[in-house]
Amino acid sequence: MVIRKFILTILTITTGILPLHASVMERRASISGKGGDQGKCTIEVDVDGSAQVEIAGERGRLTTLSGQPSEWRRFDCTGPLPQNPLDFRFHGIDGRGKVQLLQEPRYNRGVVVIRIDDPKGGREGYTFDLEWRVGSGGGNNFYPERGSEVGGNDNNPSSLVIVRAIYGVENRHRDVASSLQGMVRDGRLEFKVDNETLGMDPAPGREKELRLTYEFRGRRRDVVVREGEWLRLPEWHNGREQWNSRGNLRIVHAVYGVPGQLRDVTSSLQGMVWDDRVDFQVDNDAFHMDPAPNRRKELRITYEHNGRTQTMSIQEGDRCNIP
């Protein structure tokens, strides 16, 4: 009883004041594993409107924020969610609306908070997975000893925040900001942009792109990555963090190819900036693609340096030196 009241108190504190009309349903996970250093929870709920799901240990709370009362369908885990996992991942699996990871356990006193917004009338089932890895040294139990305070770090040391992220083409795209934030590890994000990694294909048969805005150490930047390319945040060069440099060179826009067959290489080119300079040979190997086979291509760049905006063009095979 003491533990139960403690958990409910933590959930209330971390999620703030709920609407007076909010409906709350609690549930204990069905545990089917033997623990170990890896774990997983699969959660399925019915939502008609907006709802919030909070998971702490082996207990869950489903709060209806608007619309008809939300309901639990499934809450299956291999073990209790640890308070401070070394590796935590959130994967939205099914549902027509928006599913967003609001809080990770490491930075929210061991509580995961998920918000679901269902835009259409009628009930809809939403399914998502929580996965984690813990160290062998223990110390990841959510339940503290009597009289002790809950651990955890309220200040995110990574400082890498995904502000916005959409994946797809034109008007056929999906919001993936919460999924990407859940993939951040130790202040870094690295993965191949494709349907398998992002768990969806918003535009079958068409080449998609990932457009995102992120913040790192108080600075904000926009990035565009084509399907099949790698995203690495923050940007690195020769094994060193890109933003360690104090340079003033920023790539505003860059395309590579021929008229009618141009590819946006802005993010790739920005990743080549080091010590306020870019120096490389313009060819297919530099950008890991050939947008116009058997034709001589051109790199067109718009960049800012020391407050001045300039443009330049470099032919394939020639060297790019900026400034």
Side-chain angles (χ1 to χ4, degrees):
M1 181 61 69
V2 174
I3 291 176
R4 174 184 172 84
K5 289 182 178 179
F6 176 80
I7 294 175
L8 295 182
T9 299
I10 291 297
L11 289 177
T12 301
I13 291 173
T14 56
T15 55
I17 300 174
L18 298 173
L20 296 177
H21 64 275
S23 169
V24 179
M25 294 185 64
E26 298 171 13
R27 182 159 176 168
R28 184 186 292 272
S30 174
I31 305 296
S32 59
K34 298 181 180 180
D37 62 356
Q38 294 184 344
K40 178 180 179 180
C41 285
T42 297
I43 297 165
E44 186 177 1
V45 295
D46 266 341
V47 176
D48 180 6
S50 296
Q52 189 166 276
V53 181
E54 303 122 278
I55 306 296
E58 61 184 45
R59 290 187 176 275
R61 168 181 281 183
L62 174 61
T63 303
T64 301
L65 303 177
S66 66
Q68 297 299 311
S70 304
E71 297 180 356
W72 289 95
R73 280 189 183 179
R74 183 160 51 128
F75 183 14
D76 300 330
C77 299
T78 60
L81 174 71
Q83 176 191 344
N84 192 27
L86 298 178
D87 193 10
F88 175 81
R89 297 195 179 202
F90 164 77
H91 298 288
I93 298 175
D94 193 21
R96 65 192 175 192
K98 182 178 181 180
V99 183
Q100 183 178 8
L101 174 67
L102 298 183
Q103 293 285 351
E104 290 192 31
R106 290 176 295 177
Y107 314 123
N108 194 38
R109 299 188 175 186
V111 182
V112 173
V113 182
I114 310 292
R115 180 178 173 117
I116 301 171
D117 292 296
D118 184 63
K120 298 183 179 180
R123 308 184 72 83
E124 171 76 358
Y126 288 82
T127 306
F128 56 89
D129 285 342
L130 309 178
E131 298 179 330
W132 64 84
R133 179 175 60 86
V134 297
S136 59
N140 289 295
N141 191 352
F142 175 75
Y143 308 109
E145 295 182 4
R146 192 168 194 154
S148 65
E149 295 183 357
V150 178
N153 185 357
D154 292 332
N155 297 316
N156 187 338
S158 70
S159 299
L160 176 59
V161 178
I162 306 301
V163 179
R164 290 181 294 271
I166 57 173
Y167 176 62
V169 298
E170 300 168 356
N171 294 326
R172 300 180 64 183
H173 53 73
R174 295 284 296 275
D175 187 322
V176 294
S178 59
S179 297
L180 297 193
Q181 189 66 61
M183 295 167 62
V184 175
R185 299 292 173 271
D186 298 324
R188 296 178 187 146
L189 179 61
E190 180 175 353
F191 68 96
K192 185 177 182 181
V193 176
D194 56 26
N195 300 329
E196 182 177 358
T197 303
L198 296 172
M200 68 180 76
D201 186 353
R206 301 182 64 181
E207 185 181 51
K208 292 158 283 291
E209 65 183 12
L210 174 66
R211 292 181 173 270
L212 65 89
T213 301
Y214 73 97
E215 288 184 352
F216 183 69
R217 295 181 177 174
R219 301 179 65 181
R220 180 172 292 199
R221 176 170 290 175
D222 297 321
V223 177
V224 179
V225 185
R226 297 280 185 174
E227 180 181 4
E229 297 179 354
W230 280 81
L231 171 67
R232 295 179 176 88
L233 301 179
E235 294 157 295
W236 292 71
H237 182 83
N238 293 335
R240 298 176 61 188
E241 185 182 319
Q242 175 63 39
W243 280 2
N244 279 344
S245 170
R246 296 184 179 180
N248 297 306
L249 175 60
R250 184 174 75 90
I251 306 301
V252 178
H253 185 63
V255 293
Y256 176 63
V258 298
Q261 294 175 275
L262 293 171
R263 296 285 294 273
D264 190 313
V265 294
T266 307
S267 60
S268 297
L269 194 56
Q270 186 65 55
M272 299 180 191
V273 177
W274 186 247
D275 288 338
D276 210 19
R277 291 186 58 82
V278 172
D279 185 2
F280 71 101
Q281 181 170 313
V282 177
D283 55 26
N284 299 329
D285 291 338
F287 298 111
H288 307 289
M289 64 175 166
D290 186 352
N294 302 319
R295 300 181 65 181
R296 192 180 186 192
K297 290 158 283 291
E298 183 180 60
L299 173 65
R300 301 176 185 175
I301 308 169
T302 300
Y303 68 93
E304 290 182 355
H305 185 252
N306 292 330
R308 297 181 60 187
T309 301
Q310 302 184 56
T311 61
M312 63 186 306
S313 298
I314 304 99
Q315 295 293 318
E316 181 181 6
D318 293 340
R319 198 156 193 89
C320 173
N321 289 289
I322 305 175

